[in-house]
Amino acid sequence: DAKTTQPPSMDCAEGRAANLPCNHSTISGNEYVYWYRQIHSQGPQYIIHGLKNNETNEMASLIITEDRKSSTLILPHATLRDTAVYYCIVKAGGYQKVTFGIGTKLQVIP
Amino acid sequence: GAVVSQHPSRVICKSGTSVKIECRSLDFQATTMFWYRQFPKQSLMLMATSNEGSKATYEQGVEKDKFLINHASLTLSTLTVTSAHPEDSSFYICSARERTANQPQHFGDGTRLSIL
């Protein structure tokens, strides 16, 4: 699986959009970008995933650059409950396992 | 969305006790389940991959005789920590994946294991 690079921490004001970047410059053509988050003392929560096109669901939007070497997870209106560690994971489709890096610790500030 | 239930959420027991943790996929069939361990201030580390009806595949450095995994049905996998010691105290998290390719893994809420 391709390696990802994320900033270790970020702050965001409550109500503002949180934009979490992820670099995956070695991504292969068949690898998807997945985003999960882990709120303190809970299991990870799936947020969104994509291959080439931008994706949006009720939780977030995923913007993938045209060359697919980086992506951004957007939480449109961050709330205090969005404070968590966010993991960007790149893996091939099919049935491969999810392995976690360090992630980005997002702190939403009142 | 898909739900994974993990039980118990917290266990405190004496050293030498064996502890069983259950992981259930509630609204989908999971041919593959995963077990992770997380120490304080660290990321999740994959311990093993559990396939329904066959032996689990363990990651390097994980003792298969210490961490027994059984995946007897498409909705249930169990992890038994045998003869647990204080160094086994950790946050154990299970995950299950839907049978359709490219679908995300869904995670349980974890089990906090404390060995005295």
Side-chain angles (χ1 to χ4, degrees):
Chain A
D1 296 339
K3 180 180 171 60
T4 62
T5 304
Q6 298 178 252
S9 64
M10 290 182 63
D11 290 340
C12 178
E14 187 178 17
R16 302 296 295 270
N19 296 283
L20 292 94
C22 180
N23 184 287
H24 33 79
S25 58
T26 61
I27 192 170
S28 300
N30 64 340
E31 290 183 314
Y32 286 71
V33 180
Y34 291 81
W35 282 85
Y36 290 83
R37 72 179 182 184
Q38 186 179 25
I39 295 169
H40 183 62
S41 295
Q42 296 183 21
Q45 177 187 23
Y46 164 75
I47 301 173
I48 199 168
H49 75 286
L51 181 63
K52 289 190 286 189
N53 299 322
N54 298 337
E55 302 288 344
T56 295
N57 63 21
E58 65 277 7
M59 290 183 67
S61 294
L62 173 60
I63 308 298
I64 302 174
T65 57
E66 193 168 341
D67 63 7
R68 303 208 323 122
K69 293 185 176 183
S70 66
S71 61
T72 301
L73 178 75
I74 301 173
L75 307 179
H77 305 286
T79 71
L80 298 179
R81 288 176 293 180
D82 292 321
T83 292
V85 178
Y86 287 77
Y87 296 98
C88 168
I89 293 160
V90 170
K91 75 179 189 72
Y95 301 99
Q96 283 78 10
K97 59 201 173 189
V98 170
T99 54
F100 290 83
I102 302 299
T104 295
K105 186 172 184 179
L106 175 69
Q107 182 73 48
V108 180
I109 303 168
Chain B
V3 177
V4 174
S5 175
Q6 191 171 339
H7 178 80
S9 59
R10 184 171 179 90
V11 179
I12 302 173
C13 57
K14 295 180 180 180
S15 184
T17 307
S18 291
V19 178
K20 180 185 282 189
I21 303 169
E22 290 188 351
C23 180
R24 295 180 184 273
S25 56
L26 295 186
D27 54 358
F28 65 97
Q29 293 185 328
T31 53
T32 304
M33 290 185 173
F34 306 88
W35 289 95
Y36 294 80
R37 180 168 54 182
Q38 186 176 32
F39 292 107
K41 299 187 186 303
Q42 295 185 21
S43 190
L44 286 80
M45 296 297 296
L46 181 66
M47 299 174 66
T49 301
S50 164
N51 295 297
E52 187 264 337
S54 65
K55 291 184 179 180
T57 303
Y58 291 82
E59 296 298 305
Q60 192 172 8
V62 177
E63 300 175 57
K64 63 179 181 180
D65 295 330
K66 173 79 171 175
F67 299 99
L68 301 179
I69 292 172
N70 183 278
H71 192 161
S73 78
L74 288 172
T75 59
L76 173 64
S77 176
T78 60
L79 169 68
T80 301
V81 184
T82 61
S83 187
H85 293 285
E87 57 267 28
D88 299 321
S89 298
S90 189
F91 191 48
Y92 292 85
I93 306 166
C94 75
S95 174
R97 183 180 49 218
E98 299 177 56
R99 299 176 81 172
T100 307
N102 303 330
Q103 289 304 304
Q105 283 178 221
H106 299 282
F107 291 80
D109 278 337
T111 297
R112 177 78 57 192
L113 176 62
S114 300
I115 308 298
L116 305 178

